Amino acid sequence: MPSKCINVEDWLNALDASGFRMTAVQETLIDIFAHSDFPLSAEQAWHVARQSRPKTGRATVYRMVEKLENLGLIRRVHGYQGCSHFVPTLPELMMLFICQSCGRADYLDSQPLQDLIHQSEDSSGHHITDSRLQLFGVCTSCQENA
Amino acid sequence: MPSKCINVEDWLNALDASGFRMTAVQETLIDIFAHSDFPLSAEQAWHVARQSRPKTGRATVYRMVEKLENLGLIRRVHGYQGCSHFVPTLPELMMLFICQSCGRADYLDSQPLQDLIHQSEDSSGHHITDSRLQLFGVCTSCQENA
DNA sequence: GATTTATTGATACTCAGTATCAATAAGCAT
DNA sequence: ATGCTTATTGATACTGAGTATCAATAAATC
């Protein structure tokens, strides 16, 4: 669950350290991405942002998303319905699970994935620099509600 | 390497079995997807198709891509640059590697991934029905050329 | 507080993807 | 083979995500 794993301060520091000015929109959007249980598209993030800051510009949100992605704070994922959704990047590489019933995202231990990657690197000869594993299915609570 | 793994006949049979009429565009597009070493977007597939069939309509290609995706013959992947690229679905679930230097796709043995999924299913309690693993890096031949 | 300049938001724009509809051609019946 | 029915096609117009522009705004520094 993103909200538990993400430290908003760290994100603000990362932006600050990269020489960006600290603004209200930034904080709003960081807050939105850091605390959403769902992968969000830029468009969705814009709508959420306008609830607290009605004048927030669309372009601004797209720029911010690009910035956060470049800094590695959020990462693009195969969305539940579409391919332009973002989740916070966690300190350790973790595996992403998305529930096809409620749309919520969960993060699973990635050690087995790390092992798998090293193993594949050895057997294929390719040099692997990045990976993206997404699991889809029905989460525990949706199973109980069914 | 898609070209080695994909049987064009099987794809045509799948379309036939689903009650679709057999047309020239279909064959053209199936051929394009089945033999491309690169993940292709619908737009790219359209341009390739027009090389052999100049009058091929854009909408037709999008419709065909949707059809092939619904039949599970091709599958959407995180593209090298973007998220709307397609690779042929292989008979067995395989792991996708995309070279960030030449853009070529390669498929790796998926047994370790299957194991990983079962393991994650047990430890998380989520019911996993689908997965998408993509590896990015530098392929063997690009390493040699560097 | 004044100045500099990065950031913002409104507008206009581009381009991927979709809906429409008349023209075409696949499949079937004869 | 020929004609008939209707799925499929391709041209056009449209939608909507994402981008470029630029004057207005507001951080940061002095």
Side-chain angles (χ1 to χ4, degrees), chain B residues 86-108:
Chain B
F86 297 85
V87 293
T89 308
L90 297 172
E92 334 79 54
L93 174 70
M94 298 196 90
M95 301 193 302
L96 183 63
F97 170 85
I98 297 178
C99 178
Q100 287 174 310
S101 172
C102 68
R104 228 170 292 265
D106 191 18
Y107 297 85
L108 311 179

Side-chain angles (χ1 to χ4, degrees), chain B residues 117-136:
Chain B
I117 289 173
H118 288 133
Q119 186 179 331
S120 302
E121 205 164 21
D122 290 341
S123 63
S124 71
H126 301 318
H127 177 47
I128 297 174
T129 57
D130 194 13
S131 73
R132 226 145 280 203
L133 174 59
Q134 275 188 243
L135 303 172
F136 298 93

Side-chain angles (χ1 to χ4, degrees), chain A residues 116-117 119-121 123-124 126, chain B residues 90 92-97 106-115 133 135:
Chain A
L116 184 154
I117 289 173
Q119 186 179 332
S120 301
E121 204 164 23
S123 62
S124 71
H126 302 317
Chain B
L90 297 172
E92 334 79 54
L93 174 70
M94 298 196 90
M95 301 193 302
L96 183 63
F97 170 85
D106 191 18
Y107 297 85
L108 311 179
D109 174 31
S110 74
Q111 192 51 55
L113 176 57
Q114 311 260 31
D115 297 342
L133 174 59
L135 303 172

Side-chain angles (χ1 to χ4, degrees), chain A residues 21-22 42-43 58-59 62-63 84:
Chain A
R21 290 189 181 170
M22 307 310 286
E43 209 70 13
R58 225 163 71 95
Y62 277 92
R63 278 187 291 245
S84 292

